[in-house]
């Protein structure tokens, strides 16, 4: 029996594999990657590395075995049909008879277009008859803290989110929840709505940045059209810009406030405060 993680060298996948290595022997972990070279550090520690690609279904033939627990980390290639990519993994897992397939989805409250692929993937997973766990991940701190350069350059946080609040948490927090499911018992056919313990507003985020940098950083609430113009002006393709603007609109409606407490319960600890994520980002 292996614990198999797709997208193992991605932002979330790396955290999952690192945390799995703290809990189970390396030989019980299989890391699925597109580029073997990026997983050299995991291979050196005894993790089994398998090269497969969501866009090449045959690479998943025979990849899984009966009794495996699988984490399907959602793809990020918005232009390549993510649902079909995910179905490649679901079909291969079903053929093998895996014990569990956990999927990183989006909160049920999210109505933005970003959630459409997740809903369709959930539907395919449930239709497969596989034992499943839906990890409906909320927003990541890093969605903001990894892109601080323009904020610090212009002394402004810009979003089309009005006074909406966000229950974000760190990638490491969401990884801890996934690891708890993959290494624990009793998570079959369960759905977890995951978000940080504390919701924050963009005005509060700007205030925290001001406090930690000593600069006067304001929150500029703009319209969706203005935000789309900013994003496309920065080089983002228009379809992707529209997706991000849609998420901001959902934030304005309170759709990324997740107050179930599922994330801290699964992780076994409080979630990482935004203040800590800001501190870490400013050190980099």
């Amino acid at each position: 029996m292996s614990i198999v993680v797709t997208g193992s060298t991605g932002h979330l996948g790396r955290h999952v594999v690192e945390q799995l290595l703290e809990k189970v022997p390396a030989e019980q972990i299989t890391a699925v990657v597109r580029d073997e070279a990026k997983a050299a550090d995991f291979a050196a520690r005894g993790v089994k590395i398998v090269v497969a690609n969501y866009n090449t279904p045959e690479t998943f033939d025979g990849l899984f075995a009966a009794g495996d627990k699988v984490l399907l980390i959602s793809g990020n290639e918005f232009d390549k049909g993510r649902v079909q990519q995910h179905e490649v993994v679901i079909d291969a897992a079903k053929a093998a008879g895996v014990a569990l397939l956990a999927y990183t989805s989006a909160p049920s409250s999210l109505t933005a277009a970003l959630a459409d692929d997740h809903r369709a993937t959930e539907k395919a997973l449930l239709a497969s008859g596989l034992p499943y766990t839906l990890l409906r991940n909320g927003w990541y701190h890093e969605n903001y803290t990894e892109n601080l350069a323009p904020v610090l350059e212009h002394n402004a946080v810009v979003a089309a989110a009005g006074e909406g609040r966000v229950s974000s948490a760190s990638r490491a927090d969401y990884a801890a929840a996934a690891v708890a499911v993959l290494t624990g018992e009793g998570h079959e056919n369960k759905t977890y709505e995951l978000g940080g313990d504390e919701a924050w507003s963009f005005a509060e985020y700007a205030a925290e940045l001001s406090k930690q940098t000593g600069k006067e950083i304001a929150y500029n609430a703009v319209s969706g059209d203005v935000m789309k113009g900013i994003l496309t002006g920065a080089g983002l393709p228009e379809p992707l810009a529209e997706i991000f603007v849609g998420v901001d609109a959902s934030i304005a409606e309170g759709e990324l406030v997740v107050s179930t407490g599922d994330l801290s319960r699964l992780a076994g600890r409080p979630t990482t405060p935004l203040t800590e994520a800001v501190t870490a980002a400013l050190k980099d």
Side-chain angles (χ1 to χ4, degrees):
M1 192 276 288
S2 263
I3 295 174
V4 187
V5 181
T6 73
S8 287
T9 55
H11 289 307
L12 180 62
R14 277 205 161 272
H15 282 288
V16 172
V17 175
E18 287 287 354
Q19 293 185 36
L20 280 171
L21 282 164
E22 297 171 7
K23 292 206 165 188
V24 298
E27 57 267 22
Q28 289 182 19
I29 305 168
T30 299
V32 181
V33 300
R34 286 189 293 191
D35 182 349
E36 193 169 9
K38 290 182 178 178
D41 56 328
F42 290 150
R45 293 159 74 181
V47 174
K48 181 183 178 183
I49 309 298
V50 177
V51 178
N53 190 313
Y54 294 152
N55 301 309
T56 316
E58 59 270 21
T59 59
F60 280 89
D61 290 348
L63 195 156
F64 304 118
D68 283 352
K69 289 185 176 180
V70 180
L71 176 65
L72 168 55
I73 294 180
S74 56
N76 60 4
E77 295 176 312
F78 294 94
D79 58 337
K80 292 191 177 176
R82 292 200 299 167
V83 180
Q84 289 74 27
Q85 290 180 331
H86 299 158
E87 285 176 335
V88 165
V89 180
I90 292 168
D91 291 346
K94 182 178 181 179
V98 304
L100 182 72
L101 196 153
Y103 171 65
T104 61
S105 190
S108 59
S109 52
L110 187 66
T111 63
L114 179 73
D116 293 348
D117 288 350
H118 292 301
R119 301 290 164 254
T121 300
E122 288 186 7
K123 187 176 179 182
L125 178 51
L126 268 60
S128 74
L130 282 167
Y132 68 87
T133 306
L134 299 180
L135 296 165
R136 288 180 172 159
N137 288 0
W139 226 219
Y140 302 128
H141 292 330
E142 290 90 345
N143 291 346
Y144 302 105
T145 60
E146 282 185 351
N147 301 296
L148 285 179
V151 173
L152 299 177
E153 181 184 343
H154 300 288
N155 292 329
V157 172
V158 182
E163 296 179 11
R165 303 181 76 80
V166 183
S167 303
S168 65
S170 69
R171 289 197 186 104
D173 294 334
Y174 291 105
V179 167
V181 165
L182 294 168
T183 60
E185 301 295 333
H187 299 289
E188 293 82 1
N189 306 328
K190 296 280 182 67
T191 298
Y192 297 110
E193 300 283 348
L194 305 175
D197 295 336
E198 299 289 336
W200 50 269
S201 70
F202 285 87
E204 289 167 350
Y205 175 48
E208 184 61 34
L209 285 167
S210 299
K211 179 181 173 185
Q212 293 203 29
T213 61
K215 302 170 87 175
E216 195 64 44
I217 297 174
Y219 168 44
N220 292 345
V222 298
S223 69
D225 285 343
V226 169
M227 193 68 202
K228 181 180 169 183
I230 291 170
L231 293 172
T232 54
L236 216 61
E238 188 168 330
L240 202 54
E242 287 177 351
I243 286 173
F244 289 137
V245 170
V247 170
D248 272 8
S250 284
I251 290 171
E253 295 296 322
E255 294 176 8
L256 275 177
V257 174
V258 181
S259 54
T260 60
D262 284 352
L263 182 52
S264 52
R265 273 195 296 274
L266 281 173
R269 56 172 173 73
T271 60
T272 306
L274 180 66
T275 52
E276 285 186 20
V278 169
T279 303
L282 290 171
K283 282 180 181 173
D284 290 343

